[in-house]
Amino acid sequence: MEYGYYPGCSLTGSAHKLDKGIKKVFAKQGHTLKEIPDWNCCGAFEYGDRKELAGFSKKNLEKARGHFSEIVAPCPACYKNLREADEKREFAVTHPLDLFDEAFFAAMKQGKDLKGQVFTPYYGCILLRPKETAIRNNTVMEETIARFGGDVAGESIKDRCCGGNQIFINKSVTEKLSRLILDKSRGTVVVFCPLCHMAMKTFSGERKVVYYTDLLLYIMGENSAL
Amino acid sequence: MPKTDRAIELTDYERQDFSVCLGCKICASVCTVNDLDLSTNPQEMLQKLFLGKDVAADDPLVRFCTGCYRCTGACPWEIRIPDVVRALRQVHATESPFEKAFKGSVAIWGRVYEPYVLMRAAPFLLKGGYIKHMMRWMEYMGIHLPHKVKRT
């Protein structure tokens, strides 16, 4: 299947690993991601004017019109902004986590399992809230870990805030919030959001922080992914 | 016009929309800012907005709200308090050097070009003690040229 792809600014820069991971996972499953031509920034959380913010994503939807009906946006902020701007539900703006369903795993070629390894799946905020833009399956990461024999930890903190949004404003806020989460997590922290990745990584010490796509690639047999 | 009214205009709300608040304070009980040992009560802020009173730029909620939407998730009316906070920040013009650089990049290229943001926010990053994290951030680095989005 061919999807419209909205990488967003982070995935072309600091979150290049997530971009490559998503593309690899989709390619292995026989799906194509085709970038929305000449897309612009979604505005993330930086604009106080709701109309101005929606304007960015409306432009992107305009650029997708006629090319794609289903748009995949991995960055939680981009995903939320695109979905909110699509007021008439003209497009299916989808987060990749909602595509990792039974059919996906049935078609997936497994190379490795996760036996003996502990993981804390961490969703953060925007994938789970507000309700109207939340992902459909909010247990997909723990289901994946359990399905392949790994131990799931840290369930109480999966939806807490890492403070990533404040990392370049009030770093001490991010440090305190990320440490609260890290203290209650065990093993490898699995995230999807580029900002959560950065917040966790900055304060995680020796602990490993990986993208969910790294986990999938490892299960698919890519040793070096974790 | 008072700053609070200008802020409300930037959101999807009107002032009377906040009259539905039941005063249950569940927003305060879940607010991430309270994990920072700062006493904050979003319900009080909503009340001020409804009554047309000013919300100060240095209110802990305005300064430290992380936009996590835990309040919205818990609120019986699902009031989007982070949207209101962002509007208040805009009318108070309290954006950080990083946020200014972010918007500057979007104005030039239509996208966030991280090397430009880092350069422009460099004095702030140097002073703020960010350099010590650079080793950990090496995996985020990469070389690419900015893409300029066509004006439409």
Side-chain angles (χ1 to χ4, degrees):
Chain A
M1 178 158 174
E2 184 181 282
Y3 295 96
Y5 184 51
Y6 181 82
C9 306
S10 286
L11 273 71
T12 65
S14 49
H16 57 86
K17 206 173 172 199
L18 178 59
D19 179 61
K20 285 188 199 96
I22 282 283
K23 285 177 177 159
K24 255 193 205 172
V25 168
F26 273 63
K28 277 181 194 272
Q29 296 285 94
H31 299 304
T32 321
L33 292 173
K34 217 170 156 197
E35 222 168 285
I36 295 174
D38 202 38
W39 56 267
N40 51 263
C41 172
C42 76
F45 302 107
E46 308 301 325
Y47 295 82
D49 183 338
R50 291 281 294 165
K51 285 194 189 70
E52 189 183 10
L53 182 69
F56 290 117
S57 291
K58 285 196 165 124
K59 263 194 220 163
N60 286 321
L61 294 173
E62 195 59 49
K63 287 168 184 173
R65 188 166 287 130
H67 300 285
F68 313 106
S69 57
E70 190 152 355
I71 300 170
V72 171
C75 171
C78 305
Y79 160 74
K80 169 183 165 289
N81 284 340
L82 272 173
R83 268 199 69 176
E84 284 180 356
D86 183 21
E87 285 158 10
K88 292 182 197 146
R89 294 279 174 269
E90 190 185 336
F91 297 89
V93 177
T94 311
H95 191 270
L97 277 177
D98 276 330
L99 297 172
F100 303 129
D101 53 9
E102 279 302 317
F104 172 89
F105 287 110
M108 187 176 118
K109 281 198 198 87
Q110 185 188 346
K112 289 189 162 308
D113 63 40
L114 305 174
K115 284 198 182 91
Q117 299 190 60
V118 184
F119 298 90
T120 296
Y122 176 68
Y123 295 78
C125 306
I126 301 306
L127 291 173
L128 305 180
R129 293 177 297 267
K131 267 182 233 147
E132 58 268 31
T133 48
I135 54 171
R136 286 189 300 274
N137 184 1
N138 61 10
T139 52
V140 55
M141 294 211 265
E142 42 270 51
E143 281 166 25
T144 312
I145 294 160
R147 178 190 282 259
F148 295 101
D151 288 326
V152 178
E155 272 155 273
S156 67
I157 47 86
K158 70 176 224 180
D159 68 339
R160 300 302 291 242
C161 179
C162 70
N165 195 309
Q166 291 259 350
I167 194 164
F168 291 114
I169 305 170
N170 304 295
K171 191 175 60 154
S172 59
V173 169
T174 315
E175 177 161 7
K176 179 142 192 194
L177 295 175
S178 293
R179 286 198 196 281
L180 283 176
I181 291 158
L182 287 161
D183 286 350
K184 287 186 181 161
S185 68
R186 283 195 301 125
T188 302
V189 182
V190 185
V191 302
F192 210 107
C193 171
L195 218 45
C196 298
H197 193 285
M198 186 177 266
M200 292 292 169
K201 177 88 193 174
T202 306
F203 304 109
S204 61
E206 295 305 307
R207 299 277 299 285
K208 245 191 201 172
V209 181
V210 301
Y211 285 114
Y212 174 78
T213 46
D214 300 331
L215 188 72
L216 285 182
L217 288 169
Y218 177 82
I219 297 165
M220 286 169 161
E222 212 174 279
N223 243 337
S224 58
L226 279 192
Chain B
M1 196 195 287
K3 277 189 173 165
T4 43
D5 285 354
R6 278 204 322 214
I8 294 169
E9 274 192 354
L10 298 179
T11 69
D12 297 333
Y13 293 109
E14 288 176 26
R15 201 211 272 195
Q16 58 267 29
D17 292 337
F18 302 123
S19 69
V20 296
C21 172
L22 305 164
C24 71
K25 299 183 185 62
I26 195 161
C27 48
S29 74
V30 298
C31 179
T32 296
V33 177
N34 283 332
D35 287 344
L36 301 166
D37 302 323
L38 293 163
S39 174
T40 185
N41 180 359
Q43 183 257 336
E44 251 172 39
M45 186 187 80
L46 292 179
Q47 201 174 29
K48 281 185 185 166
L49 290 167
F50 177 56
L51 296 173
K53 290 186 184 162
D54 253 336
V55 179
D58 63 354
D59 184 296
L61 189 59
V62 177
R63 282 190 70 191
F64 301 116
C65 170
T66 59
C68 72
Y69 290 99
R70 281 175 69 84
C71 49
T72 309
C75 174
W77 297 99
E78 297 177 33
I79 298 175
R80 298 168 63 112
I81 293 162
D83 292 359
V84 179
V85 170
R86 278 195 281 273
L88 283 164
R89 283 182 190 159
Q90 181 136 332
V91 296
H92 281 301
T94 51
E95 54 192 3
S96 74
F98 174 81
E99 290 166 293
K100 279 188 189 138
F102 181 107
K103 289 182 177 178
S105 176
V106 173
I108 298 170
W109 290 288
R111 289 186 189 175
V112 175
Y113 183 53
E114 288 167 348
Y116 168 86
V117 176
L118 287 177
M119 290 290 284
R120 214 180 126 177
F124 165 77
L125 297 174
L126 280 168
K127 229 174 31 197
Y130 286 85
I131 300 304
K132 66 176 179 197
H133 304 302
M134 282 300 166
M135 280 310 284
R136 300 202 72 104
W137 291 349
M138 286 314 282
E139 70 170 273
Y140 299 130
M141 307 294 172
I143 298 166
H144 71 105
L145 292 171
H147 169 96
K148 192 163 168 67
V149 176
K150 289 183 205 83
R151 300 269 161 220
T152 45

